[in-house]
Amino acid sequence: MTQTIPYWHVDAFASRPFGGNQAAVMVLDEWLPDDVLVAIGAENLFAETAFVVRDATGEADWELRWCTPTYEIALCGHATLASGHVLLTRDAEGQARDRVTFRTRQSGVLEVVRAAGGYELALPAIATTPDTASHQADAIRLLGAEPRDIARSDLGYNIYLYENEAAVRALAPDIRGLERLGTDQFIATAPGIATDIVSRVFVPGGGVDEDSVTGSAHAALTPYWAKRLGRDSFTAHQASTRGGNLALRLAKDDAGDRAWLGGPCVTVVEGRFYL
């Protein structure tokens, strides 16, 4: 018997279609086998597909998992924002809901709240520490330009600071070479022109040559730039082909340091996936 799954295609961190980062959001009655989730991610062919199931533990409203076209990942920001957008709209039923929470397998409880200009997403802030060019020689060679500063998290986030926005936009990395370095994120960043900071993000080992707007990368960029700028709130632009703007702020609560990422979402397609 054919199974049908509610499906949304959402452009996250976008105020209009064809901008921001595309995500599929799929609402399940119960979890499908892991290999089927990954196969659906491959079929959708977005950077990430988000899957949600009602959380029976009472810890959160929903359980949430994410798959790229090749494997399940530990954290995805834009698909979480897209999920919040879908569920706050879908579950409203005439009532204005302002908050939805997600229990994840590797990143704790995440939340999306309504905010001016769309939504805000809270992610665990990802701390990075200074790294050296000798440790990063292969990645620097493949990125194609020497950065001013390098920072890394053992979670696989690598930040390369460049002089200015033009230098970041001019990068022409050896994507297939970066792919051979594994599933790390390679994050190029600099002071921005129209926004406080700018970035580009490459994750070819994860099936995403250059990501459009990367929430998880900004969970690392938020504390990194908060320290450099000397303030906890600032604006960001990810300079991909599609592009997207984010409002970033660093805050502390009972869960620790959290990076809050703000931006709008647009539903592009609503329908059903036939399995």
Side-chain angles (χ1 to χ4, degrees):
M1 181 176 178
T2 300
Q3 179 179 357
T4 60
I5 303 170
Y7 167 97
W8 288 262
H9 167 186
V10 176
D11 289 347
F13 298 109
S15 57
R16 56 175 177 75
F18 316 123
N21 203 352
Q22 302 173 89
V25 179
M26 304 183 70
V27 178
L28 307 177
D29 294 326
E30 59 184 6
W31 289 117
L32 298 169
D34 292 357
D35 62 334
V36 175
L37 297 180
V38 174
I40 292 172
E43 184 72 15
N44 288 333
L45 208 58
F46 296 132
E48 277 83 21
T49 295
F51 301 94
V52 296
V53 171
R54 284 282 186 186
D55 184 20
T57 70
E59 187 178 356
D61 301 314
W62 297 83
E63 292 183 73
L64 171 63
R65 296 167 68 182
W66 314 270
C67 289
T68 75
T70 55
Y71 68 106
E72 184 173 354
I73 59 172
L75 177 65
C76 177
H78 82 278
T80 303
L81 193 77
S83 299
H85 164 72
V86 166
L87 295 171
L88 286 172
T89 303
R90 177 181 184 265
D91 289 352
E93 297 178 353
Q95 299 180 4
R97 292 195 62 198
D98 293 325
R99 178 176 182 264
V100 61
T101 57
F102 300 98
R103 181 167 62 88
T104 70
R105 298 194 170 192
Q106 299 183 61
S107 298
V109 175
L110 310 180
E111 65 178 304
V112 174
V113 299
R114 294 188 186 274
Y119 306 93
E120 274 195 313
L121 160 67
L123 298 179
I126 298 171
T128 55
T129 56
D131 207 347
T132 67
S134 60
H135 290 167
Q136 295 274 357
D138 288 344
I140 291 170
R141 173 177 55 81
L142 294 165
L143 285 169
E146 189 82 21
R148 292 177 52 197
D149 183 63
I150 307 166
R152 174 174 169 77
S153 163
D154 288 340
L155 297 174
Y157 298 86
N158 302 271
I159 296 176
Y160 307 91
L161 175 66
Y162 289 92
E163 184 71 30
N164 51 44
E165 181 171 323
V168 169
R169 289 182 178 273
L171 291 174
D174 179 341
I175 294 295
R176 299 285 71 84
L178 288 175
E179 182 179 20
R180 291 191 288 272
L181 298 183
T183 59
D184 278 13
Q185 288 191 11
F186 301 95
I187 306 164
T189 189
I193 298 172
T195 55
D196 292 314
I197 71 166
V198 68
S199 66
R200 292 174 67 191
V201 180
F202 309 97
V203 203
V208 184
D209 289 355
E210 180 170 0
D211 204 12
S212 298
V213 186
T214 317
S216 58
H218 284 88
L221 287 169
T222 298
Y224 177 85
W225 275 105
K227 183 176 181 180
R228 297 190 71 90
L229 294 171
R231 51 193 167 94
D232 291 338
S233 299
F234 45 96
T235 58
H237 176 71
Q238 190 156 329
S240 62
T241 300
R242 292 173 64 91
N245 292 334
L246 307 90
L248 305 180
R249 63 185 178 93
L250 184 65
K252 185 183 290 289
D253 59 21
D254 292 342
D257 287 343
R258 295 210 286 179
W260 284 88
L261 284 53
C265 289
V266 177
T267 298
V268 178
V269 177
E270 180 179 348
R272 291 190 173 273
F273 188 101
Y274 292 87
L275 183 63

